Amino acid sequence: MELQLFVAVNAMTISALLIAVTLIYRPADHADWLVANAPWIGVNALVLAVGLLALAVVPSLAGTLVALVFLPLVVAPSFLFMRSQRAQLNGHVRLAAYLAGTAALLHPTKANLVNARLAWAQSGTEDQNVQALSVLVPKVPREYRPLVEAQLAAAKRDWPEVLARTGLSAPGDASLKGLEIRALAETGKTDAMVVCYKFCKASLGTFQLAMPRLLVMAFGGRPRAVEALMSHTFAAASDETKAYWIAVGHLNTPSDTAAGEYELAKLAAQAKDDRIRGAAHRRLAAFGAAPQPARAPSTERELDVIAGQILYPTATPARSISRVLPVTLGLILLNVSAFIAEIVLGGSEDSDTLISLGALWPPMLLEQGEWWRLITATFLHFGVLHIASNMFVLWVLGRILEPMLGSLRTLIIYLVGGVISSAFVLWLMASGATNYGLLVGASGAIFALLGAEAAIVLLQWRRDPANFDRRKLTTLAVMLGLQVAIDLSVPNVSFAAHASGFIAGILGALALPLRTNSRTRFEPRSGANS
């Protein structure tokens, strides 16, 4: 029953958040948008309806029934579409077409169907793509025709026509803005390319931003940043694809043009992939006919900023995860070790075992002075679902916060938040505001990390609201929603511990500034569970 409730509540929460995020990001003129997104909203609404009905009628099967709707209609299409985007980014066009087609089959919205047909139309040779796109143009709905026409112009390498088709597109129109940036790069308008990128980057998702960012770095002459992208975002691309883009980066670096020309000439002569061989030929010919004009100083500065943002986060994967996230992994290890001890010594749901290991039981602190239980209780958990959900959230938050705050600050916020949340609940019990109960769990400390993330996001918004990335608010809302869902599906949760931990995290983030070491700067060269 507990597992069924956990699955049902969490799936329903995710669907509710997806509906909310979709509605938040609707455009001002949303008549056509509503028609296009109605199936997605409807599917998630169906998850909520099935969940509510199941919880009311057959709660013992609620999780199973919700999963039967949620997995094939929400999770699978989203996963397949993301994998299709990744395959497309890395040049695996045929695989991208298969994945997009399967996603459209499971969730046949107008947008998914168009994306699938567009992927298939771009999965052949260059001549085949031109022919397939020409056939597709009159067949797609009118609102998608500008996109297909722009893709057709790009397949013909008619870059002025691409600019004519994309110049009036909205900042959040990912496909058209990506084509516009490509056309500006191909026509030597580097300054305009960087302005376009800066203008639309806050509206694009991770996958949507990947190719524009590569184009800006390659045509902006930042080969080190291109190499970083190739080793991370485009890791699955072929070696020849990676070599091509790195060579383009060198070609557009005034001091390194000869190296770029040499690498492109080698690819033009030896590449096994016909597309790469042809692209290298064209790049050399275009550069010889019209070398890149000098870039404005403001453009160079912006390129340095973008390159720094790429090089810093991609500099750490070469190090082991344990060195990148020592506190996060160490805390997870301690919590899991304590849980194993609970099982070995009598069971994770046995009150006597939990008390003997350090659970917070008020008489032990108030009468016997065992104040160390304020911290030890945060490493104990009541049942498998309790520790599994807490460790999942700790891992997600730790990956975000520890690189940002630094390991020491992360540890301080976690431990202090845990102690404050335990102390606050103890005070409520001692004052008679709530009944005595056994308190265990890391949720108070985890909510402190969540509070720290909330403080950082709000500070960034206050400092630069015009360029603030609203996806950060979305991520924060999802994390809060999931944690609340976990609270609702795990019995005997202490909301007081969570609220006090959250507030402690906010105050901790404000008191402990972000890490500012040199790598962030780019140099141009049964009981109450908490």
Side-chain angles (χ1 to χ4, degrees):
M1 173 61 186
E2 186 176 323
L3 178 61
Q4 293 286 332
L5 178 64
F6 181 84
V7 172
V9 171
N10 280 275
M12 291 166 64
T13 301
I14 292 172
S15 283
L17 288 168
L18 289 173
I19 293 174
V21 169
T22 304
L23 293 173
I24 288 170
Y25 282 93
R26 70 184 184 276
D29 181 13
H30 54 270
D32 293 336
W33 172 92
L34 185 60
V35 173
N37 286 275
W40 175 247
I41 295 173
V43 163
N44 284 285
L46 178 63
V47 172
L48 293 175
V50 169
L52 291 172
L53 183 63
L55 287 171
V57 180
V58 281
S60 61
L61 294 175
T64 301
L65 295 174
V66 170
L68 288 175
V69 179
F70 183 71
L71 291 176
L73 297 183
V74 177
V75 176
S78 300
F79 174 78
L80 290 169
F81 183 64
M82 286 191 294
R83 297 304 303 176
S84 174
Q85 286 184 311
R86 186 176 289 278
Q88 188 80 36
L89 279 178
N90 288 287
H92 308 306
V93 290
R94 183 67 66 172
L95 174 61
Y98 279 115
L99 293 171
T102 307
L105 182 65
L106 290 171
H107 192 54
T109 64
K110 188 185 297 185
N112 283 351
L113 291 170
V114 171
N115 285 331
R117 297 182 71 178
L118 192 56
W120 278 111
Q122 295 174 295
S123 63
T125 64
E126 293 180 358
D127 290 340
Q128 289 172 339
N129 290 350
V130 170
Q131 183 178 1
L133 288 167
S134 300
V135 172
L136 184 60
V137 167
K139 295 182 178 181
V140 297
R142 185 177 302 276
E143 64 267 28
Y144 292 97
R145 204 160 291 168
L147 170 61
V148 181
E149 290 172 340
Q151 293 283 10
L152 175 59
K156 294 178 179 179
R157 292 186 290 280
D158 186 352
W159 303 115
E161 177 65 16
V162 173
L163 288 176
R165 299 283 181 184
T166 61
L168 297 178
S169 59
D173 196 332
S175 299
L176 286 175
K177 280 301 171 187
L179 287 172
E180 182 178 359
I181 289 171
R182 178 67 184 267
L184 291 169
E186 295 284 359
T187 52
K189 300 174 181 177
T190 312
D191 294 340
M193 173 191 72
V194 172
V195 170
C196 180
Y197 173 85
K198 185 178 179 181
F199 181 60
C200 68
K201 66 178 181 180
S203 304
L204 304 182
T206 302
F207 287 114
Q208 299 164 336
L209 193 61
M211 182 53 73
R213 189 161 51 173
L214 173 61
L215 290 167
V216 168
M217 291 293 93
F219 286 92
R222 297 300 187 272
R224 284 183 56 217
V226 174
E227 290 176 13
L229 289 171
M230 289 295 121
S231 66
H232 188 257
T233 307
F234 297 87
S238 68
D239 290 341
E240 289 181 345
T241 298
K242 294 176 181 177
Y244 170 78
W245 284 111
I246 293 170
V248 172
H250 286 294
L251 186 70
N252 290 289
T253 305
S255 62
D256 212 12
T257 298
E261 288 182 304
Y262 172 78
E263 292 298 329
L264 285 171
K266 188 163 66 172
L267 287 170
Q270 301 175 9
K272 297 178 182 179
D273 188 328
D274 291 341
R275 293 188 180 195
I276 297 298
R277 195 164 57 248
H281 272 297
R282 290 191 297 272
R283 184 66 53 219
L284 285 170
F287 187 80
Q292 285 280 0
R295 295 182 284 265
S298 59
T299 297
E300 294 288 356
R301 289 192 296 271
E302 186 62 30
L303 287 169
D304 282 344
V305 170
I306 300 168
Q309 293 168 347
I310 293 169
L311 286 169
Y312 171 60
T314 54
T316 55
R319 301 159 59 193
S320 66
I321 295 178
S322 62
R323 291 182 62 195
V324 178
L325 303 171
V327 165
T328 300
L329 292 177
L331 290 171
I332 291 174
L333 179 61
L334 284 174
N335 279 278
V336 172
S337 298
F339 188 76
I340 293 172
E342 294 172 28
I343 295 174
V344 171
L345 296 176
S348 64
E349 298 181 16
D350 181 73
S351 298
D352 291 336
T353 300
L354 293 172
I355 290 174
S356 68
L357 288 172
L360 193 159
W361 174 240
M364 307 294 285
L365 289 86
L366 300 175
E367 298 173 10
Q368 300 183 30
E370 296 180 358
W371 298 101
W372 46 268
R373 291 178 181 272
L374 291 174
I375 186 65
T376 56
T378 65
F379 290 93
L380 302 174
H381 288 82
F382 190 86
V384 174
L385 288 181
H386 191 202
I387 188 170
S389 57
N390 273 350
M391 292 306 99
F392 170 73
V393 176
L394 175 56
W395 170 246
V396 172
L397 286 174
R399 292 181 66 187
I400 297 171
L401 282 174
E402 189 168 349
M404 187 184 302
L405 288 172
S407 297
L408 180 59
R409 293 176 179 84
T410 302
L411 180 61
I412 291 172
I413 290 175
Y414 182 92
L415 294 178
V416 172
V419 170
I420 289 176
S421 65
S422 297
F424 183 69
V425 174
L426 177 64
W427 176 76
L428 290 176
M429 293 178 183
S431 64
T434 186
N435 295 328
Y436 273 20
L438 195 66
L439 183 72
V440 294
S443 298
I446 291 171
F447 259 84
L449 296 181
L450 198 55
E453 170 71 3
I456 291 169
V457 168
L458 292 175
L459 282 174
Q460 291 173 342
W461 173 74
R462 285 192 62 188
R463 288 170 182 165
D464 192 6
N467 294 314
F468 178 70
D469 187 353
R470 291 188 299 170
R471 292 190 302 268
K472 294 179 180 179
L473 282 177
T474 301
T475 302
L476 180 61
V478 169
M479 293 305 303
L480 276 170
L482 286 176
Q483 190 61 49
V484 170
I486 290 168
D487 292 349
L488 293 173
S489 54
V490 175
N492 303 320
V493 162
S494 173
F495 287 98
H498 295 182
S500 55
F502 188 77
I503 294 171
I506 292 175
L507 297 176
L510 296 176
L512 299 171
L514 298 182
R515 183 168 65 180
T516 57
N517 68 43
S518 60
R519 288 182 302 168
T520 62
R521 299 176 182 175
F522 173 66
E523 300 298 332
R525 297 298 288 163
S526 169
N529 302 329
S530 66

